[in-house]
Amino acid sequence: MKYSEQFASKKEIIQSKKVCAGFDGFVDLVIRPVKTRTDEKTCTYFPTIDQFGNKISSLAGRSGNIELIVTGTDFGGCGPHYMNGLANMGVKCTCIGAMGYPEKNPVFALNPNCETISISEPGYSYVFEFEDGKVIMSDIEKISMLTWHELTERISIDDMVKVFDSADIITLVNWSYLVHFHEIYEKFLELVMPRLSKKDRKIYIDIADCAKRDPKEIKAALKMFGRYSQYAPTYLGLNKSEAIVMNSVLCGGEYEGSLPTARAIKEFSGIGTVVIHPVDSSAAVYDGGEVEVQGIVCENPKKTTGGGDNFNSGFCSGLLADLDIKSCLVSGMTTSYLYVKNGKCNSFDDIADTMKMYDK
């Protein structure tokens, strides 16, 4: 059966499932740096990160000015982006995160299929977007104050157990950014996971950009997430930048591609499936095999912030339908492609239809 037909046939199953995620949240200011300006309405932007970086480097020792245009303000964070992607497919979701406290920030207007439980003030991210990627600069002062103690004051352990027990996929995000998240996920492993029912569920983890974390901390996190596997099949998702850091920490030497790095991570951590999704492909090493799929790149992206999170949405929609790993990679890449192309999350039917580009 073709990828698109297989995915479309699972619509009812996928939309009958439930996903729960925690615990981040950011307000994103999306920014385009101006390269040239002709008049008040006409300008060009720096097209690539390299060109923008060269411009900044050229100002060393003499200073200068770069005009910025804020093209939008939106909700951000791995959890909200990921959950909104699934909710737009019709999946029932609960997102526990830093979306404003005591009042939720109105920017977190997620799809109605996603219930939101806010437990902290969000972080603020300044997202510089380019044709070949993005650079995110974040103010994490308020969200970094979130501790396990504060979290459990705002949603009790009993209530967390109720919420996450309903989930077919439990997702943990953004370990890298926030200093207390290691303790939070250790406590979640110790105090929440053992109390969940034995239903058939999966755990998906996205640790986010880990470049600033000490190698010892990264290794400790990988071992901790490996321990989640005692409760359910566990998946770790990484983009290329994160995979390069992992390769440096675990292997040293030059990065040799997705599959060798995924093998090393799986062997070290004990995580059942390791997924790596560069812009132009995706790969997975799992119990019993490995696979790599060439992706179709969007040549004129409208929005890149959230592209990786929407890959996670698409991949996990495949997991909800018990598709094989290769099909999950295809659904992930299709969902991300559509999001980047259109600048927004897309419906289940749109994703299934667009997946035809992989049927050839």
Side-chain angles (χ1 to χ4, degrees), residues 215-264:
K216 291 181 180 179
E217 295 176 319
I218 292 171
K219 289 181 177 180
L222 288 174
K223 289 292 190 183
M224 172 182 62
F225 289 129
R227 285 160 42 216
Y228 273 81
S229 298
Q230 66 187 295
Y231 296 107
T234 301
Y235 300 74
L236 174 67
L238 304 166
N239 65 24
K240 184 175 180 179
S241 293
E242 294 151 6
I244 289 173
V245 174
M246 291 290 183
N247 181 76
S248 176
V249 169
L250 297 180
C251 307
E254 292 295 320
Y255 180 72
E256 296 181 354
S258 297
L259 287 175
T261 300
R263 289 185 208 114

Side-chain angles (χ1 to χ4, degrees), residues 28 33 43 62 68 85 106 159 189 253 265 269 325:
D28 287 349
C43 70
R62 59 189 180 90
L68 304 177
D159 286 340
L189 175 62
I265 295 168
S269 67
I325 294 296

Side-chain angles (χ1 to χ4, degrees), residues 29 42 46 64 66 72 77 84 86 91 102 127 136 145 201 206 209 217 220 236 239 245 284 287 295 300 306 333 346:
L29 280 73
T42 308
F46 283 95
I66 298 174
N84 200 51
L86 281 165
V91 178
V127 184
I136 303 176
M145 297 178 185
R201 63 166 59 86
D206 185 327
D209 188 351
E217 295 176 319
L236 174 67
N239 65 24
V245 174
D287 293 335
N300 297 295
M333 290 188 294
N346 294 270

Side-chain angles (χ1 to χ4, degrees), residues 164-177:
F164 285 98
D165 195 52
S166 68
D168 296 286
I169 296 179
I170 294 170
T171 300
L172 304 176
V173 299
N174 224 337
W175 167 88
S176 299
Y177 258 43

Side-chain angles (χ1 to χ4, degrees), residues 266 271-273 284-291 325:
K266 176 173 168 51
I271 293 170
T273 302
V285 175
Y286 54 96
D287 293 335
E290 58 185 47
V291 63
I325 294 296

